Amino acid sequence: MTRPRILVVGAGFAGVECVRRLERRLAPDEADVTLVTPFAYQLYLPLLPQVASGVLTPQSIAVSLRRSKKYRTRIIPGGAIGVDLASKVCVVRTITDQIVNERYDHIVLAPGSVTRTFDIPGLTDNAYGMKTLAEAAYVRDHVISQLDLADASQNPAERASRLQFVVVGGGYAGTETAACLQRLTHSAMRRYPRLDPRLIRWHLIDVAPKLMPELGDKLGRSAQEVLRGRGIEISLGVSIEKAGPEEVTFTDGRVVPTRTLIWTAGVVASPLIATLGAETVRGRLAVNAELNLPGHHGVFALGDAAAVPDLARGEDAVCPPTAQHAARQGKLVADNVIATLRNKPLQPYVHKDLGLVVDLGGRDAVSKPLGVELRGTAAQAVARGYHWSALRTNVAKTRVMTNWLLNAVAGDDFVRTGFQARKPAKLKDFEYTDSYLTPAEVRAQVEAAGSRSPDSRA
């Protein structure tokens, strides 16, 4: 008899924790495990703003999936673009644009999320994202290049526009991105004596009435005070009306001349979820407390792409799309997949949130571990301690700690790598959200492949 085929989609916190647990707990001949991911590494997303600011190197937060001593998972380098639940087939587009029909007996859907955008004129053509490692590296290059170009320019209007930066999104990603990059540009002024430091202006805007409302009123105000003390202009209840290559128009009528618009206004579930034709909750796949898709044996979903009931909060609460929940859900799903194979009962997901940490760079931070509100150095110690302990390997921990120490002693550097220097690198160029199939196209692809050959590859 052939071994059961377990297919895991996505190598974020949820997918990687699931795969690692399956490798540890499954006997070598009990099942075959396959992982679909464009990159053979787990990206530690919470530290992405520190990569953009140069505090950390890209490699330090990209943890290789092939370092595991028990590594035996087959990795398909590509992205899932459709799932046919009836035929138990996942359609995959490889990094060489080959279409592969991957059959499975059990599937774990952890494709994560993509940047949430709106129908704002010029947004996807002119804004930069902060969702991938490549975007963070590119944003760093771009910000430093604006300083270089402003320093070389003889045109006062051009110089002023290159030294204004707009970040949209008052959540953790946007706040930390603005905080870390503002520190970078402030430190850079010593290297650009021809530039007037007063020309550098950072804008952080959000349509919500509060900055990071999950922190509570006191810590939210503390974060705002820190940012405003650094000169970052915070505008709440405001969004973008339109975006151009050299200026951005706010919804309150202001027009800001800028060459840098960074969009971090939330995320939505991967478009892969829409290809299933199953019930969703605000775009996230509706699953039960065991993380199983009701009515579909052996189909599990978790992380940002699933609306997982939050039993710790009760009522109709759904777990927020955080790394903390995703990692723990990954372990439980692995246990439930194994339980399914062994005909044992499934366990529900229950986890009480441990708190929140926000690293504002340097000695500035606000944290709320286990409900205790912290600010300043104590909060920074908790924030970095939490991130450091959450890194999966000792190699990653060593790299991150070394980078932090080196930055504390030697300060920032202002080297551009030239990454995609002459190619477009806006929101639309990184996440490939137009690559997914419709449910009808998925079915047609599966049927066409089945009529050509019994093999799983198209």
Side-chain angles (χ1 to χ4, degrees):
M1 295 178 63
T2 58
R3 290 191 292 266
R5 296 165 295 189
I6 302 172
L7 182 65
V8 180
V9 177
F13 289 98
V16 169
E17 289 296 337
C18 178
V19 167
R20 289 293 172 252
R21 201 170 185 92
L22 289 172
E23 289 180 333
R24 289 193 298 270
R25 299 198 171 186
L26 281 174
D29 60 349
E30 193 171 359
D32 292 326
V33 181
T34 300
L35 175 65
V36 178
T37 175
F39 307 103
Y41 62 74
Q42 177 191 8
L43 178 63
Y44 192 81
L45 271 171
L47 292 178
L48 209 55
Q50 294 191 36
V51 171
S53 64
V55 173
L56 298 177
T57 60
Q59 189 180 11
S60 63
I61 68 167
V63 184
S64 173
L65 301 181
R66 300 184 188 273
R67 294 191 67 93
S68 171
K69 294 180 180 178
K70 294 187 178 182
Y71 166 75
R72 66 173 188 267
T73 299
R74 169 176 164 247
I75 297 178
I76 301 177
I81 57 174
V83 177
D84 188 328
L85 295 174
S87 300
K88 292 193 172 184
V89 173
C90 179
V91 182
V92 179
R93 188 190 302 274
T94 71
I95 57 175
T96 57
D97 275 340
Q98 179 187 9
I99 302 298
V100 176
N101 283 2
E102 191 66 28
R103 298 189 179 277
Y104 63 84
D105 297 300
H106 305 272
I107 188 169
V108 176
L109 296 168
S113 56
V114 297
T115 301
R116 179 180 62 184
T117 58
F118 301 97
D119 189 19
I120 299 173
L123 177 63
T124 58
D125 291 324
N126 296 295
Y128 301 95
M130 274 292 291
K131 194 76 172 61
T132 67
L133 195 61
E135 284 176 309
Y138 186 86
V139 165
R140 172 175 167 76
D141 267 19
H142 171 79
V143 168
I144 296 174
S145 73
Q146 298 312 296
L147 301 179
D148 289 341
L149 291 167
D151 185 62
S153 176
Q154 301 295 327
N155 185 322
E158 178 191 355
R159 182 179 295 175
S161 70
R162 292 194 182 280
L163 295 180
Q164 289 211 71
F165 307 89
V166 178
V167 178
V168 182
Y172 303 109
T175 301
E176 291 187 337
T177 296
C180 290
L181 286 173
Q182 186 275 337
R183 278 183 55 85
L184 175 69
T185 55
H186 176 75
S187 299
M189 285 299 93
R190 292 173 295 175
R191 314 292 180 178
Y192 296 88
R194 295 181 66 250
L195 294 180
D196 184 351
R198 292 172 297 181
L199 289 177
I200 294 185
R201 298 177 63 186
W202 280 86
H203 302 265
L204 175 60
I205 72 172
D206 194 280
V207 71
K210 297 180 181 179
L211 202 64
M212 298 178 293
E214 299 87 348
L215 285 174
D217 291 339
K218 290 183 179 180
L219 284 185
R221 284 197 300 269
S222 294
Q224 288 189 48
E225 290 171 4
V226 169
L227 298 180
R228 283 179 169 144
R230 292 188 193 171
I232 297 177
E233 298 181 25
I234 300 174
S235 300
L236 300 175
V238 177
S239 187
I240 296 294
E241 185 174 294
K242 62 180 179 180
E246 298 183 6
E247 67 178 27
V248 172
T249 303
F250 293 177
T251 52
D252 62 5
R254 283 180 292 166
V255 178
V256 176
T258 181
R259 312 294 178 98
T260 307
L261 171 61
I262 302 174
W263 181 267
T264 63
V267 297
V268 293
S270 167
L272 176 68
I273 298 305
T275 73
L276 276 69
E279 181 184 354
T280 59
V281 177
R282 295 184 180 179
R284 301 167 71 184
L285 198 60
V287 297
N288 56 29
E290 290 75 29
L291 309 182
N292 181 237
L293 182 63
H296 295 276
H297 177 75
V299 178
F300 298 87
L302 65 163
D304 292 7
V308 178
D310 191 345
L311 300 184
R313 288 194 292 167
E315 297 181 353
D316 297 325
V318 173
C319 293
T322 64
Q324 185 180 145
H325 281 289
R328 288 167 173 80
Q329 290 168 10
K331 294 177 181 178
L332 180 73
V333 161
D335 291 343
N336 281 347
V337 169
I338 295 172
T340 302
L341 292 173
R342 298 172 181 172
N343 294 316
K344 294 184 177 180
L346 307 186
Q347 298 299 315
Y349 175 74
V350 182
H351 170 66
K352 186 176 181 180
D353 204 304
L354 297 178
L356 306 166
V357 295
V358 182
D359 190 333
L360 301 175
R363 298 180 180 179
D364 296 323
V366 290
S367 301
K368 197 175 182 180
L370 302 175
V372 180
E373 297 185 350
L374 300 173
R375 301 166 182 79
T377 304
Q380 182 64 280
V382 170
R384 294 202 170 183
Y386 173 79
H387 290 316
W388 185 83
S389 64
L391 290 165
R392 195 170 48 81
T393 67
N394 290 330
V395 171
K397 290 179 179 180
T398 301
R399 284 176 175 155
V400 167
M401 183 60 72
T402 301
N403 285 173
W404 279 339
L405 292 174
L406 184 61
N407 181 261
V409 173
D412 299 301
D413 66 70
F414 310 101
V415 176
R416 287 188 286 123
T417 63
F419 179 78
Q420 281 198 328
R422 297 184 181 276
K423 295 181 180 179
K426 303 300 194 309
L427 272 172
K428 65 177 183 179
D429 300 306
F430 280 105
E431 298 190 41
Y432 307 105
T433 52
D434 57 350
S435 298
Y436 296 86
L437 305 178
T438 65
E441 290 172 333
V442 172
R443 189 64 193 161
Q445 165 64 27
V446 172
E447 291 175 349
S451 65
R452 290 196 298 269
S453 168
D455 191 86
S456 66
R457 295 181 180 276

